[in-house]
Amino acid sequence: MRKREPLQPEVFTTTISSKGQMVLPAPVRSRLGLRKGMRISISLVDGEEGPIVLRPVTREFIRKLRGSFKGAGSALEFLQKERQKERERGR
């Protein structure tokens, strides 16, 4: 049986603005299905030096979070409250 080569990660670079904003390259947005106004989850893996993982916040993503906030209310409620705060700030 032939040994499969490990997948090489695609590497993209971007710059952080003075406001802390960054533009995700088009291939990244396309692959993740990101559109204007969508929320994303940012996770730091293995602490400060580990990779940063971006995931779109979808219903499926929220479903998978169920139970991880035991005693703190539901993840959906948390995200809904955060969204409401953002709307109020935008007025």
Coordinates of all heavy atoms in Angstrom, one line a residue:
M1 N 0.8 -1.2 0.0 CA 0.0 0.0 0.0 C 0.9 1.2 0.0 O 1.9 1.3 0.7 CB -0.9 0.0 1.2 CG -1.8 1.2 1.2 SD -3.2 1.3 2.3 CE -3.2 0.1 3.4
R2 N 0.5 2.2 -0.8 CA 1.3 3.4 -1.0 C 1.0 4.4 0.2 O -0.1 4.6 0.6 CB 1.0 4.1 -2.3 CG 1.9 5.2 -2.6 CD 1.7 5.7 -4.0 NE 2.4 6.9 -4.2 CZ 2.3 7.7 -5.2 NH1 1.3 7.4 -6.1 NH2 3.0 8.7 -5.4
K3 N 2.1 4.9 0.8 CA 1.9 5.9 1.9 C 1.5 7.2 1.4 O 2.0 7.7 0.4 CB 3.3 6.0 2.6 CG 3.2 6.5 4.0 CD 4.6 6.4 4.6 CE 4.5 6.5 6.1 NZ 5.7 6.4 6.7
R4 N 0.5 7.8 2.0 CA 0.0 9.1 1.6 C 0.8 10.2 2.2 O 1.2 10.2 3.4 CB -1.5 9.3 2.1 CG -2.4 8.4 1.3 CD -3.8 8.5 1.8 NE -4.3 9.9 1.6 CZ -5.5 10.3 1.9 NH1 -6.4 9.5 2.4 NH2 -5.9 11.5 1.7
E5 N 1.1 11.2 1.4 CA 1.8 12.4 1.9 C 0.9 13.2 2.8 O -0.3 13.3 2.5 CB 2.2 13.3 0.7 CG 3.3 12.6 -0.2 CD 4.6 12.5 0.5 OE1 5.0 13.4 1.2 OE2 5.2 11.4 0.3
P6 N 1.5 13.7 3.9 CA 0.7 14.6 4.8 C 0.2 15.9 4.0 O 1.0 16.4 3.2 CB 1.6 14.9 5.9 CG 3.0 14.6 5.5 CD 2.8 13.6 4.4
L7 N -1.0 16.3 4.3 CA -1.4 17.6 3.7 C -0.6 18.7 4.2 O -0.4 18.9 5.4 CB -2.9 17.8 4.0 CG -3.9 16.8 3.4 CD1 -5.3 17.1 3.9 CD2 -3.9 16.8 1.9
Q8 N -0.2 19.6 3.2 CA 0.5 20.8 3.6 C -0.6 21.9 3.8 O -1.5 22.1 3.0 CB 1.4 21.2 2.5 CG 2.6 20.2 2.3 CD 3.5 20.1 3.5 OE1 3.8 21.1 4.1 NE2 3.8 18.9 3.9
P9 N -0.5 22.6 4.9 CA -1.5 23.7 5.1 C -1.3 24.8 4.2 O -0.1 25.1 3.8 CB -1.2 24.1 6.6 CG 0.2 23.7 6.8 CD 0.5 22.5 6.0
E10 N -2.4 25.4 3.8 CA -2.3 26.6 2.9 C -2.0 27.8 3.9 O -2.6 27.9 5.0 CB -3.6 26.9 2.2 CG -3.8 25.9 1.1 CD -5.1 26.2 0.3 OE1 -5.0 27.3 -0.4 OE2 -6.0 25.5 0.4
V11 N -1.1 28.7 3.6 CA -0.7 29.8 4.5 C -1.1 31.1 3.8 O -0.7 31.3 2.6 CB 0.8 29.7 4.8 CG1 1.2 30.9 5.6 CG2 1.2 28.4 5.5
F12 N -1.8 31.9 4.5 CA -2.2 33.2 4.0 C -1.7 34.3 5.0 O -1.6 34.0 6.2 CB -3.7 33.4 3.9 CG -4.3 32.3 3.0 CD1 -4.7 31.1 3.4 CD2 -4.4 32.6 1.6 CE1 -5.3 30.2 2.6 CE2 -4.9 31.7 0.7 CZ -5.4 30.5 1.2
T13 N -1.4 35.4 4.6 CA -1.0 36.5 5.5 C -1.9 37.7 5.4 O -2.5 37.9 4.4 CB 0.5 37.0 5.3 OG1 0.5 37.5 4.0 CG2 1.5 35.9 5.4
T14 N -2.1 38.4 6.5 CA -2.9 39.6 6.5 C -2.2 40.5 7.6 O -1.3 40.1 8.3 CB -4.3 39.3 6.9 OG1 -5.1 40.4 6.7 CG2 -4.5 38.7 8.3
T15 N -2.7 41.7 7.6 CA -2.2 42.8 8.5 C -3.3 43.2 9.5 O -4.4 43.4 9.1 CB -1.6 44.0 7.7 OG1 -0.7 43.5 6.8 CG2 -1.0 45.0 8.6
I16 N -2.9 43.4 10.7 CA -3.8 43.9 11.8 C -3.8 45.5 11.7 O -2.7 46.0 11.7 CB -3.4 43.5 13.2 CG1 -3.3 42.0 13.2 CG2 -4.4 44.0 14.2 CD1 -4.5 41.2 13.4
S17 N -4.9 46.1 11.6 CA -5.0 47.6 11.5 C -4.8 48.2 12.9 O -4.8 47.4 13.9 CB -6.3 48.0 11.0 OG -7.4 47.9 11.9
S18 N -4.7 49.5 13.0 CA -4.6 50.2 14.3 C -5.8 50.0 15.2 O -5.8 50.1 16.4 CB -4.3 51.7 14.1 OG -5.4 52.2 13.4
K19 N -6.9 49.6 14.5 CA -8.2 49.3 15.3 C -8.3 47.9 15.7 O -9.3 47.4 16.2 CB -9.4 49.7 14.4 CG -9.5 51.2 14.1 CD -10.8 51.5 13.3 CE -10.9 52.9 13.0 NZ -12.2 53.2 12.3
G20 N -7.3 47.0 15.3 CA -7.4 45.6 15.7 C -8.1 44.8 14.6 O -8.4 43.7 14.9
Q21 N -8.4 45.4 13.5 CA -9.2 44.7 12.4 C -8.2 44.1 11.5 O -7.1 44.5 11.3 CB -10.0 45.7 11.7 CG -11.1 46.4 12.6 CD -11.7 47.5 11.9 OE1 -11.2 48.2 11.0 NE2 -13.0 47.8 12.2
M22 N -8.7 43.0 10.8 CA -7.9 42.4 9.8 C -8.8 41.9 8.7 O -10.0 41.6 8.9 CB -7.1 41.2 10.3 CG -7.9 40.0 10.7 SD -6.7 38.7 11.3 CE -7.9 37.5 11.7
V23 N -8.3 41.8 7.5 CA -9.1 41.3 6.3 C -8.7 39.9 6.1 O -7.5 39.6 6.0 CB -8.8 42.2 5.1 CG1 -9.5 41.6 3.9 CG2 -9.2 43.6 5.3
L24 N -9.7 39.0 6.1 CA -9.4 37.6 5.7 C -9.3 37.5 4.2 O -10.2 38.0 3.5 CB -10.5 36.7 6.3 CG -10.7 36.6 7.8 CD1 -11.9 35.8 8.1 CD2 -9.4 36.0 8.4
P25 N -8.3 36.9 3.7 CA -8.1 36.7 2.3 C -9.3 36.0 1.7 O -10.0 35.2 2.3 CB -6.9 35.9 2.1 CG -6.1 36.1 3.4 CD -7.1 36.3 4.5
A26 N -9.7 36.4 0.5 CA -10.8 35.8 -0.2 C -10.9 34.3 -0.2 O -12.0 33.7 0.0 CB -10.9 36.4 -1.7
P27 N -9.7 33.6 -0.5 CA -9.8 32.1 -0.5 C -10.3 31.6 0.9 O -11.0 30.6 1.0 CB -8.4 31.7 -0.8 CG -7.8 32.8 -1.5 CD -8.4 34.0 -0.9
V28 N -9.9 32.2 2.0 CA -10.3 31.8 3.3 C -11.8 32.0 3.5 O -12.5 31.1 4.0 CB -9.5 32.5 4.4 CG1 -10.0 32.2 5.8 CG2 -8.0 32.2 4.3
R29 N -12.2 33.2 3.2 CA -13.7 33.5 3.3 C -14.5 32.6 2.5 O -15.5 32.1 2.9 CB -14.0 35.0 2.9 CG -13.3 36.0 3.8 CD -13.8 37.4 3.5 NE -13.8 37.8 2.1 CZ -12.9 38.4 1.5 NH1 -11.7 38.7 2.1 NH2 -13.0 38.7 0.2
S30 N -14.0 32.3 1.3 CA -14.8 31.4 0.4 C -14.8 29.9 1.0 O -15.9 29.3 1.0 CB -14.1 31.3 -1.0 OG -14.7 30.4 -1.8
R31 N -13.7 29.4 1.4 CA -13.6 28.1 2.0 C -14.5 27.9 3.2 O -15.1 26.9 3.4 CB -12.2 27.7 2.3 CG -12.2 26.3 2.9 CD -11.0 25.4 2.7 NE -10.4 25.5 1.5 CZ -9.0 25.4 1.3 NH1 -8.3 25.3 2.4 NH2 -8.5 25.4 0.1
L32 N -14.6 29.0 4.1 CA -15.4 28.9 5.3 C -16.8 29.3 5.0 O -17.6 29.2 5.9 CB -14.7 29.8 6.4 CG -13.4 29.3 6.9 CD1 -12.9 30.3 7.9 CD2 -13.5 27.9 7.5
G33 N -17.1 29.8 3.8 CA -18.5 30.2 3.5 C -18.8 31.5 4.3 O -20.0 31.7 4.6
L34 N -17.9 32.4 4.5 CA -18.1 33.6 5.3 C -18.7 34.7 4.4 O -18.2 34.9 3.3 CB -16.8 34.1 6.0 CG -16.2 33.1 7.0 CD1 -14.9 33.7 7.4 CD2 -17.1 32.9 8.1
R35 N -19.7 35.4 4.9 CA -20.3 36.5 4.2 C -20.3 37.7 5.1 O -20.2 37.6 6.3 CB -21.7 36.2 3.7 CG -21.7 35.0 2.7 CD -23.2 34.6 2.3 NE -24.0 34.3 3.5 CZ -24.1 33.2 4.1 NH1 -23.2 32.2 3.8 NH2 -24.9 33.0 5.1
K36 N -20.5 38.9 4.6 CA -20.6 40.1 5.3 C -21.6 40.0 6.5 O -22.7 39.4 6.3 CB -21.1 41.2 4.4 CG -21.2 42.6 5.1 CD -21.8 43.6 4.2 CE -22.1 44.9 5.0 NZ -22.6 45.9 4.1
G37 N -21.2 40.4 7.7 CA -22.0 40.3 8.9 C -22.0 39.0 9.6 O -22.6 39.0 10.7
M38 N -21.4 38.0 9.1 CA -21.4 36.7 9.8 C -20.5 36.8 11.0 O -19.5 37.5 10.9 CB -20.9 35.5 8.8 CG -22.0 35.1 7.8 SD -21.4 33.7 6.9 CE -21.6 32.4 8.0
R39 N -20.8 36.0 12.0 CA -19.9 35.9 13.1 C -19.0 34.7 13.0 O -19.4 33.7 12.4 CB -20.8 35.8 14.4 CG -21.6 37.0 14.6 CD -22.5 36.9 15.9 NE -21.7 36.7 17.1 CZ -21.1 37.7 17.8 NH1 -21.2 38.9 17.4 NH2 -20.4 37.4 18.9
I40 N -17.8 34.8 13.6 CA -16.9 33.7 13.6 C -16.4 33.5 15.0 O -16.4 34.4 15.8 CB -15.7 33.9 12.6 CG1 -14.9 35.2 13.0 CG2 -16.1 34.0 11.2 CD1 -13.6 35.4 12.3
S41 N -16.0 32.3 15.3 CA -15.4 31.9 16.5 C -13.9 31.9 16.3 O -13.5 31.3 15.3 CB -16.0 30.5 17.0 OG -15.2 30.0 18.0
I42 N -13.2 32.4 17.3 CA -11.7 32.4 17.2 C -11.2 31.6 18.4 O -11.5 32.0 19.6 CB -11.2 33.8 17.2 CG1 -11.7 34.6 16.0 CG2 -9.6 33.8 17.2 CD1 -11.4 36.1 16.1
S43 N -10.5 30.6 18.2 CA -10.0 29.7 19.3 C -8.5 29.7 19.2 O -7.9 29.6 18.1 CB -10.5 28.3 19.1 OG -11.9 28.2 19.1
L44 N -7.9 29.8 20.4 CA -6.4 29.6 20.5 C -6.2 28.2 20.9 O -6.7 27.8 21.9 CB -5.8 30.6 21.5 CG -6.0 32.1 21.2 CD1 -5.5 32.9 22.4 CD2 -5.3 32.5 19.9
V45 N -5.4 27.5 20.1 CA -5.1 26.1 20.4 C -3.8 26.0 21.1 O -2.8 26.6 20.7 CB -5.1 25.3 19.1 CG1 -4.9 23.8 19.4 CG2 -6.5 25.4 18.4
D46 N -3.7 25.3 22.2 CA -2.5 25.1 23.0 C -1.9 26.4 23.5 O -0.7 26.6 23.4 CB -1.4 24.3 22.1 CG -1.9 22.9 21.7 OD1 -2.6 22.3 22.5 OD2 -1.5 22.4 20.7
G47 N -2.7 27.3 23.9 CA -2.2 28.5 24.5 C -1.7 29.5 23.5 O -2.1 29.5 22.4
E48 N -0.8 30.4 24.0 CA -0.4 31.5 23.3 C 0.4 31.2 22.0 O 0.3 31.9 21.0 CB 0.6 32.4 24.1 CG -0.1 33.0 25.3 CD 0.8 33.8 26.2 OE1 1.9 34.1 25.7 OE2 0.4 34.1 27.3
E49 N 1.2 30.1 22.0 CA 2.0 29.8 20.8 C 1.3 28.9 19.8 O 1.9 28.7 18.8 CB 3.3 29.2 21.3 CG 4.1 30.1 22.2 CD 4.6 31.4 21.4 OE1 4.9 31.3 20.3 OE2 4.6 32.4 22.1
G50 N 0.2 28.4 20.2 CA -0.5 27.5 19.3 C -1.2 28.2 18.1 O -1.3 29.4 18.1
P51 N -1.8 27.4 17.2 CA -2.5 28.1 16.1 C -3.8 28.7 16.5 O -4.4 28.4 17.5 CB -2.7 26.9 15.1 CG -2.7 25.7 16.0 CD -1.8 26.0 17.1
I52 N -4.2 29.6 15.7 CA -5.5 30.3 15.8 C -6.5 29.5 14.9 O -6.2 29.4 13.7 CB -5.5 31.7 15.5 CG1 -4.5 32.5 16.4 CG2 -6.9 32.4 15.5 CD1 -4.2 33.9 16.0
V53 N -7.7 29.2 15.4 CA -8.7 28.4 14.6 C -9.9 29.3 14.4 O -10.4 29.8 15.4 CB -9.1 27.1 15.2 CG1 -10.1 26.4 14.4 CG2 -7.8 26.2 15.4
L54 N -10.3 29.6 13.2 CA -11.5 30.4 12.9 C -12.6 29.4 12.4 O -12.3 28.6 11.5 CB -11.2 31.4 11.7 CG -10.0 32.3 12.0 CD1 -9.8 33.2 10.7 CD2 -10.3 33.2 13.2
R55 N -13.8 29.6 12.9 CA -14.9 28.8 12.5 C -16.1 29.7 12.4 O -16.4 30.5 13.3 CB -15.2 27.7 13.6 CG -14.2 26.6 13.6 CD -14.7 25.5 14.5 NE -13.7 24.5 14.6 CZ -12.9 24.2 15.6 NH1 -13.0 25.0 16.7 NH2 -12.1 23.2 15.6
P56 N -16.9 29.5 11.4 CA -18.2 30.3 11.3 C -19.1 29.9 12.4 O -19.2 28.7 12.8 CB -18.8 29.9 9.9 CG -17.8 29.0 9.3 CD -16.7 28.7 10.2
V57 N -19.8 30.8 13.0 CA -20.8 30.5 14.1 C -22.1 30.2 13.3 O -22.8 31.1 12.9 CB -20.9 31.7 15.1 CG1 -22.0 31.4 16.1 CG2 -19.6 32.0 15.8
T58 N -22.4 28.9 13.2 CA -23.6 28.5 12.6 C -24.5 27.7 13.6 O -24.0 27.5 14.7 CB -23.2 27.5 11.4 OG1 -22.6 26.4 12.0 CG2 -22.4 28.2 10.4
R59 N -25.6 27.4 13.2 CA -26.5 26.6 14.1 C -25.8 25.3 14.5 O -25.9 24.8 15.6 CB -27.8 26.3 13.4 CG -28.7 27.5 13.3 CD -30.0 27.1 12.6 NE -30.8 28.3 12.2 CZ -31.8 28.8 13.0 NH1 -32.1 28.2 14.0 NH2 -32.4 29.9 12.5
E60 N -25.1 24.7 13.5 CA -24.4 23.4 13.8 C -23.3 23.6 14.8 O -23.1 22.9 15.7 CB -23.8 22.8 12.5 CG -23.1 21.5 12.7 CD -23.9 20.4 13.2 OE1 -25.2 20.4 13.1 OE2 -23.3 19.4 13.7
F61 N -22.6 24.7 14.7 CA -21.5 25.1 15.6 C -22.1 25.3 17.0 O -21.5 24.7 18.0 CB -20.8 26.4 15.2 CG -19.8 26.9 16.1 CD1 -18.5 26.4 16.1 CD2 -20.1 27.9 17.0 CE1 -17.5 26.8 17.0 CE2 -19.1 28.4 17.9 CZ -17.8 27.8 17.8
I62 N -23.2 26.0 17.1 CA -23.8 26.2 18.4 C -24.3 24.9 19.0 O -24.2 24.6 20.2 CB -25.0 27.2 18.3 CG1 -24.4 28.6 17.9 CG2 -25.8 27.3 19.5 CD1 -25.4 29.6 17.5
R63 N -24.9 24.0 18.2 CA -25.4 22.7 18.6 C -24.2 21.9 19.3 O -24.4 21.3 20.3 CB -26.0 21.9 17.5 CG -26.7 20.6 18.0 CD -27.2 19.8 16.8 NE -26.2 19.3 15.9 CZ -25.4 18.3 16.2 NH1 -25.5 17.7 17.4 NH2 -24.5 17.9 15.4
K64 N -23.1 22.0 18.6 CA -21.9 21.2 19.2 C -21.4 21.8 20.5 O -20.8 21.1 21.3 CB -20.8 21.2 18.1 CG -21.1 20.3 17.0 CD -19.9 20.4 16.0 CE -20.2 19.5 14.8 NZ -19.2 19.5 13.8
L65 N -21.7 23.1 20.7 CA -21.3 23.7 22.0 C -22.1 23.3 23.2 O -21.7 23.5 24.3 CB -21.3 25.2 21.9 CG -20.2 25.9 21.1 CD1 -20.4 27.4 21.0 CD2 -18.8 25.6 21.7
R66 N -23.3 22.8 22.9 CA -24.2 22.5 24.0 C -23.6 21.6 25.1 O -22.9 20.7 24.8 CB -25.5 21.7 23.5 CG -26.4 22.6 22.8 CD -27.7 21.9 22.5 NE -28.6 22.9 21.8 CZ -29.4 22.6 20.8 NH1 -29.5 21.3 20.5 NH2 -30.1 23.5 20.3
G67 N -23.8 22.1 26.3 CA -23.2 21.4 27.4 C -21.8 21.9 27.9 O -21.3 21.6 28.9
S68 N -21.2 22.6 27.0 CA -19.8 23.1 27.4 C -19.8 24.3 28.3 O -18.8 24.7 28.8 CB -19.0 23.4 26.1 OG -19.6 24.4 25.4
F69 N -21.0 24.9 28.5 CA -21.1 26.1 29.4 C -22.0 25.7 30.6 O -22.8 26.5 31.0 CB -21.7 27.3 28.7 CG -20.9 27.8 27.6 CD1 -21.2 27.7 26.3 CD2 -19.7 28.6 27.9 CE1 -20.4 28.2 25.3 CE2 -18.9 29.1 26.9 CZ -19.3 28.9 25.6
K70 N -21.8 24.5 31.1 CA -22.6 24.0 32.2 C -22.7 25.1 33.3 O -21.7 25.6 33.8 CB -22.1 22.8 32.8 CG -22.1 21.6 31.9 CD -23.5 21.0 31.9 CE -23.6 19.7 31.1 NZ -24.8 19.4 30.7
G71 N -24.0 25.4 33.7 CA -24.2 26.3 34.8 C -24.2 27.8 34.4 O -24.5 28.7 35.1
A72 N -23.8 28.1 33.2 CA -23.7 29.5 32.7 C -24.8 29.8 31.7 O -24.7 30.8 31.0 CB -22.3 29.7 32.1
G73 N -25.8 29.0 31.6 CA -26.9 29.2 30.6 C -26.4 28.6 29.3 O -25.4 28.0 29.2
S74 N -27.3 28.6 28.3 CA -27.0 28.0 27.1 C -26.1 28.8 26.2 O -26.0 30.0 26.3 CB -28.3 27.7 26.3 OG -28.8 28.8 25.7
A75 N -25.3 28.2 25.3 CA -24.4 28.9 24.4 C -25.3 29.8 23.5 O -24.8 30.9 23.1 CB -23.6 27.9 23.6
L76 N -26.4 29.3 23.1 CA -27.3 30.1 22.2 C -27.7 31.3 22.9 O -27.7 32.4 22.3 CB -28.5 29.2 21.8 CG -29.5 29.9 20.9 CD1 -28.8 30.4 19.6 CD2 -30.7 29.0 20.6
E77 N -28.1 31.2 24.2 CA -28.5 32.4 24.9 C -27.4 33.4 25.0 O -27.5 34.6 24.8 CB -29.0 32.0 26.3 CG -30.3 31.3 26.3 CD -30.7 30.8 27.7 OE1 -29.8 30.8 28.6 OE2 -31.8 30.3 27.9
F78 N -26.2 32.9 25.3 CA -25.0 33.7 25.4 C -24.8 34.5 24.1 O -24.6 35.7 24.1 CB -23.8 32.9 25.7 CG -22.5 33.6 25.7 CD1 -22.1 34.4 26.7 CD2 -21.6 33.5 24.6 CE1 -20.9 35.1 26.6 CE2 -20.4 34.2 24.5 CZ -20.1 35.0 25.5
L79 N -24.8 33.8 22.9 CA -24.6 34.4 21.6 C -25.7 35.4 21.3 O -25.4 36.4 20.7 CB -24.4 33.3 20.6 CG -23.2 32.5 20.7 CD1 -23.2 31.3 19.7 CD2 -21.9 33.3 20.4
Q80 N -26.9 35.1 21.7 CA -28.0 36.0 21.4 C -27.9 37.3 22.2 O -28.1 38.4 21.7 CB -29.4 35.3 21.7 CG -29.8 34.3 20.7 CD -31.0 33.5 21.1 OE1 -31.3 33.4 22.3 NE2 -31.7 33.0 20.1
K81 N -27.4 37.2 23.5 CA -27.2 38.4 24.3 C -26.0 39.2 23.7 O -26.1 40.4 23.7 CB -26.9 38.0 25.7 CG -28.1 37.5 26.5 CD -27.7 37.0 27.9 CE -28.9 36.4 28.6 NZ -28.6 35.8 29.9
E82 N -25.0 38.5 23.2 CA -23.9 39.3 22.6 C -24.3 40.0 21.4 O -23.9 41.1 21.1 CB -22.7 38.3 22.3 CG -22.0 37.8 23.5 CD -21.3 38.9 24.3 OE1 -20.5 39.7 23.6 OE2 -21.5 39.0 25.5
R83 N -25.1 39.4 20.6 CA -25.7 40.0 19.3 C -26.5 41.2 19.7 O -26.4 42.2 19.0 CB -26.5 38.9 18.6 CG -26.9 39.4 17.2 CD -25.7 39.6 16.3 NE -26.1 40.0 15.0 CZ -25.9 39.3 13.9 NH1 -25.4 38.1 14.0 NH2 -26.3 39.8 12.8
Q84 N -27.3 41.1 20.7 CA -28.2 42.2 21.2 C -27.3 43.4 21.6 O -27.6 44.5 21.3 CB -29.1 41.8 22.3 CG -30.1 42.8 22.7 CD -31.0 43.3 21.6 OE1 -31.4 42.5 20.8 NE2 -31.3 44.6 21.6
K85 N -26.3 43.1 22.4 CA -25.3 44.2 22.8 C -24.7 44.9 21.6 O -24.6 46.1 21.6 CB -24.2 43.6 23.7 CG -24.7 43.2 25.0 CD -23.5 42.6 25.8 CE -23.9 41.9 27.1 NZ -22.7 41.3 27.8
E86 N -24.4 44.1 20.6 CA -23.8 44.7 19.4 C -24.8 45.6 18.7 O -24.4 46.7 18.2 CB -23.3 43.6 18.4 CG -22.0 42.9 18.8 CD -21.6 41.9 17.9 OE1 -22.2 41.7 16.8 OE2 -20.6 41.2 18.2
R87 N -26.0 45.1 18.6 CA -27.1 45.9 17.9 C -27.3 47.3 18.7 O -27.4 48.3 18.1 CB -28.4 45.2 17.9 CG -28.4 44.1 16.9 CD -29.8 43.4 16.8 NE -29.7 42.3 15.9 CZ -30.1 41.1 16.2 NH1 -30.7 40.8 17.4 NH2 -30.1 40.1 15.3
E88 N -27.3 47.2 20.0 CA -27.5 48.4 20.8 C -26.3 49.4 20.7 O -26.5 50.6 20.7 CB -27.7 48.0 22.3 CG -29.0 47.3 22.5 CD -29.1 46.7 23.9 OE1 -28.2 46.8 24.7 OE2 -30.2 46.1 24.2
R89 N -25.1 48.8 20.6 CA -23.9 49.7 20.4 C -24.0 50.4 19.0 O -23.5 51.5 18.8 CB -22.7 48.9 20.5 CG -22.2 48.7 21.9 CD -20.9 48.0 21.9 NE -21.2 46.6 22.2 CZ -20.5 45.6 21.9 NH1 -19.3 45.8 21.3 NH2 -20.8 44.4 22.2
G90 N -24.6 49.7 18.0 CA -24.6 50.3 16.7 C -25.7 51.4 16.5 O -25.7 52.1 15.5
R91 N -26.5 51.6 17.4 CA -27.6 52.6 17.3 C -27.0 54.0 17.5 O -26.2 54.3 18.1 CB -28.7 52.4 18.3 CG -29.5 51.1 18.0 CD -30.6 50.9 18.9 NE -31.2 49.6 18.6 CZ -32.0 49.0 19.4 NH1 -32.4 49.5 20.5 NH2 -32.5 47.8 19.0

